Amino acid sequence: MKSYGATLRRIYDAVTGPIALRAALITVMLALPVVAPSLTALTALNQRLIDKRFQWAPREASGKIVFIAIDKRTLDEVGVWPWPRSIYATLLDKLIAANAADIFLDIDFSTPSDADDDNAIALALERAGGGVLLPIFRQQIAAASGETVVTRPIPRLLSNAWPVFANVSTDADGAVRNFDLGSAFEGISTPSAASALGASPETSGHRLIDFSIEPGSVPTYSLADVLTGKVAAGQLAGRSIVVGASATELKDIFPVPVHGVLPGPLIHVLAAETLIQARLLTEVDQGPLELLLAAALIVAVLSSRSVGLAKLSALALILGAVCELTAYALQKDYAIVTGTTVSWLLLALASGLALNERVDLGQMMATLANIDARNARRLMRRIIADSSDGIVAFAGDMKIAEISESAKSILRVGAGANLLSSAEQSVTAAIRDLAVLYEADPGRVQSTIVEFVRRRGESETNYEAAITLSPVEEKGFRAAPSFGGCVIIRDVTARKAYEAKLKSMAEKDELTGLLNRREFLARLEGRGGVVAVLDIERFSDVCATLGRDVGDKLLKAVASRLAASFPGDLLARIDGDLFAILRAGDDADPASQADLLLALFEEPVVFDEMSATVVVRLGVARTERVDSASSLRAAESALDIAKETSGRWSIYDPAVALQQARSRRLEADMRGALREGQFFLLYQPQVDLAMGHFVGAEALLRWRHPELGIVPPTEFIPIAESSGIICDIGRWVLMQACADAMHWPTGAVSVNISPIQFERADVDGEICLALSRSGLPASRLCVELTESAFLDNGGRSQAKMAAVRAIGVSIALDDFGTGYSSMSYLADLPLDKLKIDQSFVRRMTADHGVFEIVKAIVSLAHGLGLEIVAEGVEGTAEQALLRELHCATGQGYLFGRPQPPDEMLAAFGFGPERRSA
């Protein structure tokens, strides 16, 4: 009976073992298609296969998009980063001149730069006529916050460009595979850069990038070559342009499938090419098909027990190859992306099921497991012994079980020794601390990282040791918790050197070795004393005359002198030829510090066997402990005052700074004011002094600012002239004055032309256009010029005046008697009128000498056949004297203040019916 029972037991075990395994295999096969999408490892394998198919079926870019790269050579030639934004303005003008299509500047313009540079690129964007795309980025407000904010270019730039989203998002493994089509921006559906360049109508959602498109086939040019004209216009005409960083040091690079790493701008190009080539990759739900395949395989295996294993294996390989080739064809020709990992796993499980049907798989698996374990131990010993990293494996008693050769040389211990006997105290101390932590909390993995330095002579090697204690399951009873430990030691000398270099690059100015602006501001925060900003006078002339290399050497020499003289102070090169210094101490006197800095450059600066006298100007200000940026801006504001007043130095004055800020705001608002109709004209009548009749009026420009109120012309005209917008304003004044004068029953209108407008603009063309649009006869328009319009360029100015006069327009010389008035040019200039400055007219009744001057001017004008207009007539006494001198026309408060045209005409008895006649 015992023998019979044992036999039954063996039969039961032989039957139930394969049955249980069969049930498990079938369950796994049916469950795998359902749970596969949530398994990270399977997803990663699928992604690798998809990436390989991209690699096996490469395709060329369309050539419709050109990548202009900010590469290493461009950085070296420009010599400074961030670049002056005027470089992008020059680039835009060249691209527009080459008839390029859309232009995407993948550059961060979210913060203001130098005012002149911002103005230059803003004007270039305006000239581009809306054909430029600028990036906006959606990012989290804080690291742990779910709220996002859109970072955008400064308003002045964005007003003449199209915003596009330029975010580059990565998958969980850190690689970039998808691109966004767009998002909402200020309530408006806004495309991404790829969507805009690819002319996609979709502005939401995301798509896979087709990495079968070769980045090397994208037309790529160095930005330096474009700026220097080495790239022909034909290579850019009609193509969209992407401008962005490719230099490694700019850190705008991302890991991608197939191609390793790519610059962010080039990723936008590949995404746009995906849209252009209609390669909108589609991912399908494979779950039902995979479930069907699993069921078919189970049925096939269970119904084919008589088929040999060799034939079944061959059929499985053929089926797997068919699946793989089908996936390859779908991805290559139809842009359908599929994963085949589950299919291969199902085939492998089906093979195991088939094997279970034929052999006692349990016994075979035990044998294979034993073989695998022996092979794994042998392989592990070989890996540890040959590893370039130092590896140590030890037990809970601190005895070394395995140790690599490199670890032996570093720790000076061998296999079998007690690890705590090593001479490297930082490592042994860390191991002791981890052991204490493990004893306090058994079963929890404990780990730490220790850094130490090993010196050999003058050389120094930096090491990093990663130490881990892990629980170990042991049979039998143990009073104390058991663990196994591992130490991995890595040489991090190169990494430390690279980190130190990156830190230096982030903090220091590359040319001079001084702090850069950002680091200077960071270290200035909370410190008291005097901040001085130093500027080298006529530095641009040095560079233009002697070359940029000499200019760089001069900057380094100035930096060396400052560093040698103030070794304990904060020193920085904050921009171009601007240096900043903090003289610490709350009792530091700005005046004495300025004298000290100026005295430092009384002796010539010697560099490269050359000697140069350096003249500097200074702006100084006391620091504000709460805001370092405000302190530096205050010193820069003081430097601006020193330059404007031609002084050697200036201390910060809040009132002057406020005026500067107001001037900058007026300059920024001026173009919008012209566009929004904030400028308007008033008219001061001109009267026949003999008869008292209205003979005309002078147009006077005024500005009604929506927040600041009426801004006087004495304030905004100089700002308009310095910025060049006076040409646009002057053109509008000419058009408006002619249009208003057409409604007057009689009389001429006088319009002042700025010297800047007269020099730069096509004045005669603009006059013809104003007369043509308004219908005003040329004889009813008088152009008033001041002497500065022709003093510096007499010949060309005379030709322009002759062209204006040829139209039939009269020309008046305004403010005669002031400035550089000279008899010599009166006979040569094509003039019709002479306007006596009001400063003479107002004083002529009380000062006989002034009366004689007016008398001489009138006599001179009569002799030259010029009509006289006297400004500033405020009383009847002046009117009477001017009549006696036979002065024809008067203008002043006696006849009317500057006023709207309707009020002026009404004062002279012209009713509405006569004004429109």
Side-chain angles (χ1 to χ4, degrees):
M1 289 296 293
K2 285 184 179 181
S3 175
Y4 180 73
T7 302
L8 287 177
R9 182 68 182 176
R10 286 196 297 272
I11 294 172
Y12 177 82
D13 290 343
V15 172
T16 56
I19 291 175
L21 185 57
R22 176 195 302 162
L25 288 172
I26 291 174
T27 301
V28 172
M29 290 178 69
L30 292 175
L32 185 60
V34 178
V35 301
S38 62
L39 300 178
T40 304
L42 295 186
T43 303
L45 287 173
N46 269 334
Q47 194 60 60
R48 288 188 181 182
L49 288 172
I50 292 169
D51 295 345
K52 279 294 182 184
R53 294 181 200 124
F54 283 140
Q55 189 175 354
W56 293 334
R59 61 183 70 243
E60 297 286 316
S62 66
K64 295 180 180 180
I65 302 178
V66 171
F67 176 37
I68 296 180
I70 303 173
D71 53 13
K72 181 66 167 63
R73 182 159 60 85
T74 305
L75 291 177
D76 291 342
E77 291 187 14
V78 174
V80 63
W81 184 264
W83 290 348
R85 289 180 179 171
S86 56
I87 292 179
Y88 298 115
T90 303
L91 175 64
L92 284 177
D93 289 338
K94 286 183 176 290
L95 295 177
I96 296 303
N99 293 319
D102 291 333
I103 302 168
F104 172 45
L105 296 181
D106 192 12
I107 310 295
D108 183 8
F109 294 115
S110 61
T111 57
S113 179
D114 178 80
D116 292 338
D117 288 340
D118 284 347
N119 183 54
I121 191 171
L123 293 174
L125 290 170
E126 184 176 353
R127 290 191 293 271
V132 179
L133 312 176
L134 293 183
I136 57 177
F137 306 89
R138 186 178 299 282
Q139 55 188 340
Q140 290 179 314
I141 293 177
S145 173
E147 296 182 59
T148 61
V149 65
V150 176
T151 302
R152 67 196 75 189
I154 60 176
R156 188 174 183 190
L157 304 187
L158 194 57
S159 62
N160 289 303
W162 293 99
V164 292
F165 280 98
N167 292 81
V168 177
S169 57
T170 58
D171 288 351
D173 62 354
V176 177
R177 293 186 174 88
N178 299 274
F179 69 98
D180 292 327
L181 290 164
S183 182
F185 173 53
E186 294 185 344
I188 299 174
S189 184
T190 302
S192 66
S195 182
L197 293 169
S200 172
E202 299 181 43
T203 57
S204 63
H206 62 272
R207 291 282 191 173
L208 291 171
I209 300 174
D210 186 1
F211 283 106
S212 66
I213 302 171
E214 290 288 338
S217 65
V218 176
T220 303
Y221 305 108
S222 172
L223 190 143
D225 290 341
V226 177
L227 291 176
T228 55
K230 294 180 182 178
V231 180
Q235 295 171 283
L236 306 173
R239 294 177 170 183
S240 296
I241 307 295
V242 174
V243 181
S246 69
T248 303
E249 51 264 52
L250 298 184
K251 303 178 183 178
D252 191 16
I253 56 174
F254 299 89
V256 298
V258 183
H259 310 297
V261 295
L262 290 177
L266 193 53
I267 293 175
H268 291 307
V269 174
L270 293 182
E273 284 285 345
T274 301
L275 296 171
I276 291 172
Q277 299 188 30
R279 292 285 298 171
L280 297 179
L281 300 168
T282 303
E283 296 176 291
V284 298
D285 182 7
Q286 298 175 228
L289 291 175
E290 291 168 346
L291 198 59
L292 182 63
L293 174 63
L297 288 173
I298 292 169
V299 172
V301 168
L302 295 180
S303 61
S304 60
R305 290 188 177 91
S306 60
V307 180
L309 284 176
K311 185 178 291 186
L312 279 177
S313 300
L315 289 173
L317 289 174
I318 292 171
L319 182 58
V322 169
C323 290
E324 199 60 53
L325 289 173
T326 302
Y328 171 79
L330 288 173
Q331 185 168 320
K332 176 178 177 293
D333 299 326
Y334 302 100
I336 298 175
V337 177
T338 58
T340 55
T341 302
V342 173
S343 301
W344 284 110
L345 288 176
L346 288 174
L347 289 171
L349 291 169
S351 299
L353 182 62
L355 188 62
N356 179 69
E357 297 299 305
R358 289 159 178 80
V359 298
D360 185 356
L361 193 58
Q363 183 178 355
M364 188 182 75
M365 287 178 65
T367 303
L368 289 176
N370 289 331
I371 294 172
D372 272 352
R374 289 195 297 271
N375 289 339
R377 286 194 294 271
R378 191 179 299 114
L379 178 62
M380 184 60 65
R381 290 193 185 98
R382 175 55 56 191
I383 290 173
I384 292 176
D386 297 342
S387 174
S388 59
D389 289 339
I391 300 178
V392 182
F394 60 96
D397 58 1
M398 299 300 170
K399 296 292 184 181
I400 297 175
E402 301 288 345
I403 185 168
S404 67
E405 293 300 321
S406 56
K408 288 180 183 179
S409 65
I410 296 170
L411 298 179
R412 297 188 179 93
V413 288
N418 190 314
L419 181 56
L420 298 181
S421 65
S422 170
E424 189 52 58
Q425 297 299 318
S426 59
V427 175
T428 58
I431 293 173
R432 287 191 179 95
D433 292 342
L434 282 185
V436 171
L437 292 175
Y438 187 88
E439 289 177 2
D441 189 6
R444 182 184 295 275
V445 175
Q446 302 290 344
S447 62
T448 188
I449 294 177
V450 178
E451 294 184 355
F452 61 95
V453 178
R454 180 65 55 80
R455 293 177 177 83
R456 294 181 180 89
E458 296 183 358
S459 65
E460 185 178 277
T461 306
N462 292 273
Y463 292 103
E464 180 182 88
I467 307 169
T468 304
L469 303 185
S470 303
V472 174
E473 293 183 7
E474 292 190 4
K475 295 180 179 180
F477 175 78
R478 281 183 59 91
S482 178
F483 61 81
C486 177
V487 181
I488 299 176
I489 306 172
R490 182 160 297 160
D491 185 340
V492 293
T493 306
R495 191 189 77 192
K496 290 289 185 181
Y498 182 65
E499 289 173 351
K501 182 179 179 181
L502 287 180
K503 185 173 185 294
S504 177
M505 289 174 61
E507 295 177 350
K508 300 292 182 65
D509 172 55
E510 185 177 2
L511 177 66
T512 63
L514 301 181
L515 298 177
N516 57 31
R517 185 186 187 96
R518 181 178 59 253
E519 187 63 20
F520 181 79
L521 286 172
R523 299 190 187 186
L524 180 62
E525 197 75 31
R527 298 182 63 174
V530 172
V531 175
V533 175
L534 178 150
D535 172 70
I536 301 175
E537 187 75 5
R538 301 176 63 83
F539 177 73
S540 59
D541 293 343
V542 173
C543 294
T545 306
L546 302 178
R548 183 70 198 184
D549 290 342
V550 174
D552 288 346
K553 291 174 182 177
L554 175 59
L555 290 174
K556 288 194 283 188
V558 170
S560 297
R561 179 166 291 188
L562 287 170
S565 303
F566 306 103
D569 293 320
L570 285 184
L571 284 168
R573 177 185 175 220
I574 57 175
D575 186 23
D577 61 332
L578 286 182
F579 295 85
I581 180 172
L582 170 67
R583 299 289 289 156
D586 293 331
D587 58 346
D589 177 47
S592 62
Q593 298 305 324
D595 291 339
L596 187 62
L597 284 166
L598 292 173
L600 188 61
F601 293 95
E602 290 179 355
E603 294 295 327
V605 174
V606 179
F607 61 95
D608 198 24
E609 299 181 357
M610 297 176 62
S611 176
T613 299
V614 175
V615 178
V616 299
R617 296 189 190 278
L618 299 173
V620 294
R622 291 196 176 277
T623 60
E624 298 181 19
R625 289 182 179 272
V626 295
D627 189 353
S628 59
S630 296
S631 301
L632 187 57
R633 280 197 301 269
E636 289 174 316
S637 174
L639 177 61
D640 291 340
I641 297 303
K643 290 180 179 179
E644 291 172 5
T645 59
S646 300
R648 293 296 304 280
W649 70 280
S650 176
I651 190 170
Y652 173 68
D653 183 345
V656 175
L658 188 63
Q659 183 58 44
Q660 285 181 326
R662 177 181 170 92
S663 296
R664 286 193 293 269
R665 178 180 180 183
L666 290 177
E667 181 178 347
D669 294 349
M670 202 170 291
R671 195 171 296 278
L674 181 60
R675 187 170 54 251
E676 295 166 10
Q678 295 174 17
F679 289 106
F680 62 97
L681 295 181
L682 298 178
Y683 295 89
Q684 188 170 38
Q686 295 173 341
V687 174
D688 184 321
L689 291 174
M691 304 300 295
H693 297 156
F694 173 81
V695 296
E698 179 181 359
L700 300 172
L701 179 63
R702 298 292 186 267
W703 181 7
R704 183 182 290 106
H705 193 283
E707 296 179 22
L708 304 178
I710 299 296
V711 182
T714 53
E715 182 179 7
F716 73 79
I717 291 294
I719 298 173
E721 289 182 330
S722 64
S723 65
I725 195 177
I726 191 66
C727 297
D728 297 329
I729 296 175
R731 187 183 307 114
W732 175 83
V733 170
L734 196 59
M735 297 287 183
Q736 187 64 40
C738 290
D740 288 345
M742 265 302 293
H743 299 290
W744 303 351
T746 184
V749 64
S750 296
V751 178
N752 290 282
I753 301 292
S754 163
I756 302 296
Q757 180 187 4
F758 188 75
E759 178 186 354
R760 299 181 185 177
D762 178 17
V763 175
D764 52 333
E766 292 176 353
I767 290 174
C768 289
L769 181 62
L771 294 174
S772 172
R773 287 187 177 179
S774 64
L776 185 73
S779 59
R780 292 183 59 191
L781 175 62
C782 176
V783 171
E784 295 188 6
L785 302 173
T786 58
E787 297 162 355
S788 56
F790 47 78
L791 279 179
D792 294 333
N793 194 357
R796 194 173 67 172
S797 298
Q798 288 185 37
K800 275 195 170 187
M801 293 171 71
V804 170
R805 207 164 179 233
I807 301 171
V809 174
S810 60
I811 300 177
L813 179 59
D814 196 12
D815 298 335
F816 184 76
T818 63
Y820 301 95
S821 298
S822 172
M823 303 298 178
S824 61
Y825 58 70
L826 287 180
D828 299 327
L829 295 176
L831 297 171
D832 299 286
K833 298 180 182 181
L834 202 64
K835 296 191 75 173
I836 304 175
D837 187 71
Q838 58 185 342
S839 62
F840 293 103
V841 174
R842 289 173 179 169
R843 295 161 53 203
M844 62 184 291
T845 57
D847 191 326
H848 181 71
V850 174
F851 173 75
E852 290 297 329
I853 292 174
V854 174
K855 181 179 179 181
I857 293 173
V858 173
S859 176
L860 174 65
H862 286 164
L864 294 173
L866 301 177
E867 181 182 340
I868 294 292
V869 179
E871 295 183 297
V873 182
E874 297 184 352
T876 55
E878 291 102 322
Q879 182 182 21
L881 285 176
L882 290 169
R883 281 178 182 168
E884 291 179 11
L885 295 175
H886 302 290
C887 179
T889 308
Q891 176 182 339
Y893 286 176
L894 180 62
F895 312 114
R897 292 177 176 271
Q899 53 195 309
D902 290 345
E903 295 180 13
M904 177 189 69
L905 294 174
F908 285 92
F910 297 114
E913 68 283 351
R914 293 194 61 191
R915 292 178 213 162
S916 58

